[in-house]
Amino acid sequence: MLFNSFEFLLFLGIVLTISLLTHPKNRWVILLIASAYFYFYAKPQYIILLYTNITVGYFFAILINSYMKWRKLYLYIGITTNLLLLLYYKYFYFLIENLSALSGYNNEDLILDINIILPVGISFYTFQSISYLIDVYTHKLKPERHYGIYALYISFFPQLVAGPIERSTNIIPQLKKAIHFTYENLKIGYEKILLGFFKKLVVADSLSVYIDRIYSDHMNLDPLSLIIGIVFFSFQIYCDFSGYSDIAIGLARIFNIKLMENFQQPYFAKSVTSFWRRWHISLSTWFKDYVFVPLGGSRVSNFRIYRNILIVFTLSGIWHGANNTFVIWGFIHGMILIIEKISNFHNLNFYRFNWVKRLSTFLIVTIAWVFFRSDSTEQATQILSRILEFQNYKLLGGLNFEIIYLSSLVLILLTVDLIVQKGSLFRKQNQTRDMILNSIITCLIILLGVYQKNTFIYFQF
Amino acid sequence: MRILQSIITFCIVAVFSHFLLLGITRKSNYKEVGVWNEIVKGNIDADLIFVGSSRTSQHFDTPQIKNNQGINSYNLGLDGTLFDIHLERLKIYLRYNKKPQHIVIGVDLESFEKKTGIWNESSFIHMLNQEGLYNILNDYDNNFFYRKYVPLYGFAEMNKLYLGGIIRSINSKKSSYNRGFIPVDRDWENMTNQKMELMFQIDPYYVEKLKELIQLSKSSSKKVTLVYSPAFDTKTIKIKNTDYILSLYRKISEELNIQFLDYSHHYLSYDNSIFYNSQHMNSKGASLFTEVLMDSLSK
């Protein structure tokens, strides 16, 4: 069920209505049933997989906490079970293809006649589950004995299919409290949802039409069109993903649950290192806490630090998708981070200006996105090499209103991000003003939104 | 209470926005929207008008007729429409503008076959107050009910570049389609080499509507002509009942005592450089055909 669908609106209305009629202490039950239905609606058979994951996490956390002698073994079994399910459903064909490429065997000899469909959200709830087991193991929290509360933590519908990847220490305590509806939460939640829909329906889905054309015909387009396309993709993926996160955060806020912020104006970052503190924060902190730090983090030799960075970012690339393009994308980011650590370019004279830092960071990230978006490494290298064909540059023929319109949307987005970064636009609270503004923004989103039922990009992960 | 206030505020803003956009659309001169607005404005001075579908709007070069023959003409051709909508469009035209001397009705081979849905529903948003037109459109697509009565629904559905075009063209003095004519500057596009045989259905409803259209045209002008403009024979796509459909047009013309000009075997039908697909001529073809037609009409 997509957030930008009439079915979801109806679903949300029903959940809110039933919740209002339920005692605050029991509203978590409504959310649990609603979350199960939400996932069931996508693909009924995968609810079994979700609840297998939930049950494994629930029982192994209790075992880790109960049996000191075997706790490490239970941790490994719990994590391995989660990872095996993820490997099977997400990486089976990827592994077969790479194995056959390495061994020289034909793919078809190795693949059995099975059709594996990627369950929506598996990457997200698997990581959430693993983080819970590790947190119990490291005594950050006690295992949750209430199966329903734990199940709701993993399956909470606003963030189930595309994050943020929430920590149990943040969510479980909130779920155990009575859920009260307040006007304040409703207002904040609604404004966050509005922001999310603006990013997704208005910006991301408008850009996607143009970008799909670019990537489907890249060999016949001039370099300038390709550049515009790849720059637009930087904003499409940002708006698509952060838009979803905003909607998820807004929805949770309506139910008095505070999820973590997942994006903090990443394209204003002054370095790629800083970019990763602002982009998909829940994933980058997950990798930092559960991969980078256990590998030694920054408390080891420089060589091992660089090795750890490369491992983390390559794994991050793999997490995003079962394709070599994602691996390369992650690897590029890892290499850039290492270069930033090694080199002293921040001290260069021309690099003292913030705008130079931001622009160069944006350019590096945009180039890396080409691999992320491309269907193959071949396509990515073709696009990047065509951009360097300086002899083929030509001015865009006449005024292109589509590009002007899309560029205006991007500028509005950057302005909104700037306002959010600086805090509220207004100093004084004014209920009437806020009501009118929210109504106008809602109408603009209704008017400018693209309603072709485009899924969110991160659903494929 | 505050939630109710928020909902009421939103409703007021939505209704206000809807009427604002409706007002803008009624002032715009963008493409099909602009043509409707010119019709309703009532300043069209035309002695010759053309009624039909996209083959009419793209084949009859009204600016050229003005330049070459000195005759004021107007093209009411509307893409993706059939005789019932042509009839309503003519009624609306006659309601607001002076009656012409001569009405030419462009016909196609598929004009009797019922279609589902409406092509470019956005171009009708501001015309849904015309009851006859609204009823017919709603029969094809009952979302027109929501487009008429739900604020912002029709505008939200619109292609954003189309909406942008409508807003941009408020200050234009005339429609971007000069006197309703839509020139198409495209070369021949060979869609398929696959052989196909088609058969267009004849729905009696559209036969009746054509007759009504002719009757209205006769009562509103001095001369009515039915015209089947050239179509290119690709040799791969065969319409099995072409002769039957053309004979039906001939029969109706004779029955109602009007002229029928059949250009299906005219030399223009064999030159694909003046077509961009098998049914539509490009601007070069339209120019040539318009000269041929005006020559025939003057005889």
Side-chain angles (χ1 to χ4, degrees):
Chain A
M1 206 186 303
L2 298 175
F3 284 166
N4 51 326
S5 69
F6 179 72
E7 294 85 15
F8 181 75
L9 207 61
L10 193 63
F11 163 82
L12 185 64
I14 293 169
V15 171
L16 277 170
T17 307
I18 298 174
S19 298
L20 278 166
L21 299 171
T22 312
H23 192 281
K25 280 190 180 166
N26 299 328
R27 283 175 180 159
W28 69 270
V29 179
I30 308 301
L31 287 178
L32 181 65
I33 297 168
S35 300
Y37 177 76
F38 182 82
Y39 201 69
F40 181 85
Y41 187 91
K43 208 145 188 85
Q45 54 267 47
Y46 287 132
I47 194 84
I48 301 167
L49 181 66
L50 174 66
Y51 270 83
T52 303
N53 177 290
I54 288 169
T55 308
V56 162
Y58 174 78
F59 281 113
F60 275 96
I62 292 172
L63 288 171
I64 286 167
N65 195 58
S66 305
Y67 297 98
M68 290 298 131
K69 193 177 171 188
W70 303 103
R71 59 199 313 266
K72 205 170 205 175
L73 177 66
Y74 291 136
L75 174 70
Y76 286 157
I77 295 172
I79 292 174
T80 307
T81 310
N82 274 297
L83 288 176
L84 280 175
L85 286 171
L86 183 64
L87 271 169
Y88 174 73
Y89 281 100
K90 190 168 176 181
Y91 298 103
F92 181 77
Y93 293 121
F94 176 65
L95 288 169
I96 295 292
E97 273 167 23
N98 281 291
L99 278 171
S100 55
L102 287 169
S103 62
Y105 275 108
N106 188 331
N107 278 0
E108 287 161 6
D109 296 334
L110 296 170
I111 295 176
L112 304 167
D113 191 19
I114 43 173
N115 182 24
I116 303 169
I117 298 169
L118 178 66
V120 176
I122 189 170
S123 303
F124 293 90
Y125 65 70
T126 299
F127 269 35
Q128 209 156 290
S129 202
I130 291 172
S131 78
Y132 170 72
L133 288 171
I134 296 173
D135 285 349
V136 168
Y137 179 80
T138 54
H139 303 293
K140 280 196 184 133
L141 84 162
K142 291 254 183 270
E144 178 51 51
R145 297 276 171 175
H146 195 306
Y147 183 82
I149 295 288
Y150 177 73
L152 183 57
Y153 157 62
I154 296 291
S155 66
F156 187 39
F157 75 88
Q159 45 92 217
L160 172 61
V161 292
I165 302 170
E166 277 295 342
R167 303 297 176 89
S168 50
T169 45
N170 179 37
I171 297 297
I172 290 180
Q174 294 188 69
L175 295 177
K176 288 169 109 155
K177 290 183 198 164
I179 296 172
H180 294 284
F181 290 112
T182 65
Y183 178 76
E184 191 62 28
N185 279 334
L186 201 65
K187 181 174 176 285
I188 293 170
Y190 182 72
E191 285 170 359
K192 199 73 174 167
I193 292 169
L194 267 189
L195 180 63
F197 275 125
F198 166 70
K199 285 178 178 175
K200 168 60 181 168
L201 290 179
V202 178
V203 185
D205 287 353
S206 298
L207 291 172
S208 74
V209 176
Y210 185 89
I211 291 157
D212 287 347
R213 277 205 315 266
I214 297 292
Y215 275 83
S216 63
D217 196 24
H218 64 279
M219 289 307 286
N220 296 320
L221 294 169
D222 62 285
L224 190 56
S225 297
L226 289 176
I227 286 177
I228 292 170
I230 68 174
V231 168
F232 277 168
F233 179 72
S234 295
F235 291 102
Q236 183 203 353
I237 188 154
Y238 168 56
C239 289
D240 198 285
F241 194 16
S242 68
Y244 181 92
S245 290
D246 287 335
I247 297 169
I249 292 166
L251 285 170
R253 190 60 187 258
I254 288 172
F255 292 98
N256 202 19
I257 312 278
K258 288 182 186 150
L259 300 182
M260 66 182 293
E261 282 296 331
N262 214 8
F263 292 84
Q264 278 177 359
Q265 301 80 43
Y267 291 138
F268 289 126
K270 295 178 201 170
S271 65
V272 177
T273 308
S274 170
F275 172 83
W276 279 102
R277 287 191 208 110
R278 296 161 169 257
W279 177 278
H280 201 172
I281 298 167
S282 63
L283 181 74
S284 55
T285 51
W286 193 99
F287 271 109
K288 188 189 90 181
D289 292 344
Y290 301 112
V291 180
F292 185 72
V293 168
L295 285 174
S298 303
R299 289 169 284 129
V300 292
S301 66
N302 280 344
F303 173 77
R304 285 178 70 182
I305 292 173
Y306 305 148
R307 180 206 67 179
N308 295 343
I309 290 172
L310 217 51
I311 290 171
V312 161
F313 278 90
T314 306
L315 284 176
S316 174
I318 293 169
W319 177 90
H320 278 85
N323 192 321
N324 289 326
T325 52
F326 295 110
V327 179
I328 293 171
W329 168 80
F331 185 81
I332 289 172
H333 273 274
M335 286 306 297
I336 298 294
L337 254 78
I338 292 168
I339 291 169
E340 282 185 355
K341 270 198 170 327
I342 292 172
S343 69
N344 239 352
F345 62 84
H346 289 279
N347 294 333
L348 290 170
N349 209 26
F350 78 92
Y351 213 73
R352 70 180 188 278
F353 300 109
N354 282 339
W355 70 267
V356 172
K357 291 176 186 173
R358 288 185 170 121
L359 188 62
S360 55
T361 304
F362 178 76
L363 284 172
I364 293 166
V365 166
T366 296
I367 288 167
W369 281 135
V370 175
F371 286 90
F372 194 93
R373 174 61 176 80
S374 298
D375 296 325
S376 64
T377 48
E378 193 192 350
Q379 186 185 33
T381 47
Q382 279 169 353
I383 289 171
L384 290 172
S385 51
R386 291 216 66 227
I387 285 167
L388 297 172
E389 290 171 5
F390 298 111
Q391 71 279 12
N392 289 334
Y393 273 82
K394 60 183 180 195
L395 286 172
L396 295 166
L399 268 178
N400 186 323
F401 286 110
E402 187 182 18
I403 292 176
I404 292 172
Y405 172 66
L406 295 175
S407 304
S408 311
L409 290 180
V410 168
L411 276 170
I412 293 169
L413 166 79
L414 289 170
T415 309
V416 167
D417 260 2
L418 200 61
I419 291 168
V420 170
Q421 183 171 257
K422 296 231 181 273
S424 174
L425 193 58
F426 304 105
R427 282 195 189 161
K428 283 186 186 168
Q429 294 260 354
N430 185 320
Q431 204 171 292
T432 309
R433 178 200 66 210
D434 288 348
M435 263 187 219
I436 295 171
L437 258 179
N438 284 341
S439 300
I440 292 171
I441 292 167
T442 306
C443 287
L444 278 171
I445 291 169
I446 291 170
L447 207 53
L448 298 177
V450 175
Y451 300 99
Q452 285 155 353
K453 288 231 177 133
N454 286 328
T455 57
F456 291 85
I457 293 176
Y458 264 69
F459 273 23
Q460 63 186 303
F461 309 136
Chain B
M1 192 61 196
R2 282 186 288 182
I3 295 170
L4 188 61
Q5 280 175 341
S6 301
I7 294 170
I8 292 170
T9 308
F10 167 71
C11 290
I12 293 170
V13 170
V15 169
F16 175 77
S17 307
H18 178 82
F19 283 107
L20 179 65
L21 282 168
L22 210 54
I24 289 170
T25 309
R26 287 180 178 149
K27 293 279 179 207
S28 178
N29 277 318
Y30 187 68
K31 295 187 177 180
E32 298 88 357
V33 163
V35 173
W36 275 118
N37 288 336
E38 275 189 346
I39 293 169
V40 170
K41 207 171 171 184
N43 292 340
I44 299 173
D45 173 19
D47 295 315
L48 168 63
I49 62 169
F50 299 94
V51 179
S53 65
S54 56
R55 274 165 42 84
T56 296
S57 63
Q58 292 174 26
H59 289 185
F60 301 97
D61 191 336
T62 41
Q64 180 176 297
I65 293 170
K66 172 71 182 169
N67 290 338
N68 293 359
Q69 281 81 27
I71 298 172
N72 284 331
S73 61
Y74 201 87
N75 195 322
L76 294 177
L78 193 58
D79 198 359
T81 54
L82 299 173
F83 294 128
D84 49 357
I85 295 178
H86 302 165
L87 176 62
E88 280 310 309
R89 187 141 153 114
L90 180 61
K91 282 181 186 172
I92 294 168
Y93 177 87
L94 294 170
R95 195 176 299 148
Y96 295 100
N97 297 281
K98 86 162 209 215
K99 289 181 183 177
Q101 300 288 313
H102 188 172
I103 295 176
V104 170
I105 301 170
V107 296
D108 316 317
L109 293 178
E110 53 192 296
S111 298
F112 292 120
E113 184 174 85
K114 176 141 182 103
K115 287 184 176 36
T116 49
I118 290 287
W119 175 258
N120 195 9
E121 19 346 74
S122 301
S123 65
F124 295 97
I125 289 299
H126 62 316
M127 296 300 295
L128 300 180
N129 54 336
Q130 302 282 346
E131 218 44 50
L133 180 65
Y134 165 71
N135 289 336
I136 290 176
L137 293 171
N138 206 30
D139 282 342
Y140 281 101
D141 176 2
N142 51 23
N143 281 325
F144 273 97
F145 174 84
Y146 303 110
R147 289 175 192 125
K148 185 173 181 179
Y149 295 111
V150 176
L152 298 180
Y153 185 100
F155 293 105
E157 272 188 320
M158 245 188 226
N159 177 288
K160 306 311 154 190
L161 295 177
Y162 198 85
L163 180 60
I166 288 173
I167 295 168
R168 266 196 336 267
S169 304
I170 295 172
N171 291 327
S172 310
K173 287 198 175 130
K174 53 181 183 176
S175 171
S176 43
Y177 290 160
N178 192 356
R179 304 194 76 84
F181 170 60
I182 306 173
V184 178
D185 292 316
R186 279 155 64 180
D187 295 326
W188 173 253
E189 295 152 7
N190 193 21
M191 296 292 181
T192 178
N193 287 321
Q194 192 186 355
K195 286 198 174 180
M196 267 194 279
E197 280 194 353
L198 301 170
M199 184 131 167
F200 290 122
Q201 300 302 311
I202 313 284
D203 188 325
Y205 167 76
Y206 293 106
V207 176
E208 276 315 301
K209 285 297 167 188
L210 173 59
K211 289 181 180 175
E212 275 184 52
L213 177 60
I214 294 170
Q215 297 284 25
L216 175 65
S217 301
K218 282 176 78 174
S219 66
S220 310
S221 66
K222 291 181 179 166
K223 188 177 177 187
V224 179
T225 308
L226 219 60
V227 172
Y228 179 80
S229 56
F232 182 74
D233 180 6
T234 62
K235 303 276 188 272
T236 52
I237 301 171
K238 183 180 164 63
I239 296 161
K240 284 155 69 171
N241 55 347
T242 300
D243 291 340
Y244 176 74
I245 294 169
L246 291 173
S247 70
L248 183 56
Y249 284 128
R250 196 166 292 113
K251 185 181 161 202
I252 293 170
S253 307
E254 284 164 5
E255 194 182 299
L256 296 173
N257 199 26
I258 61 167
Q259 189 184 21
F260 173 48
L261 296 174
D262 176 2
Y263 292 93
S264 57
H265 295 292
H266 192 270
Y267 74 87
L268 290 174
S269 293
Y270 301 102
D271 178 5
N272 71 354
S273 71
I274 61 169
F275 287 85
Y276 67 88
N277 64 31
S278 65
Q279 298 302 304
H280 296 88
M281 287 188 279
N282 54 30
S283 52
K284 181 182 161 193
S287 177
L288 290 170
F289 171 64
T290 302
E291 276 306 311
V292 165
L293 175 72
M294 293 311 293
D295 191 50
S296 302
L297 292 180
S298 65
K299 287 175 184 164

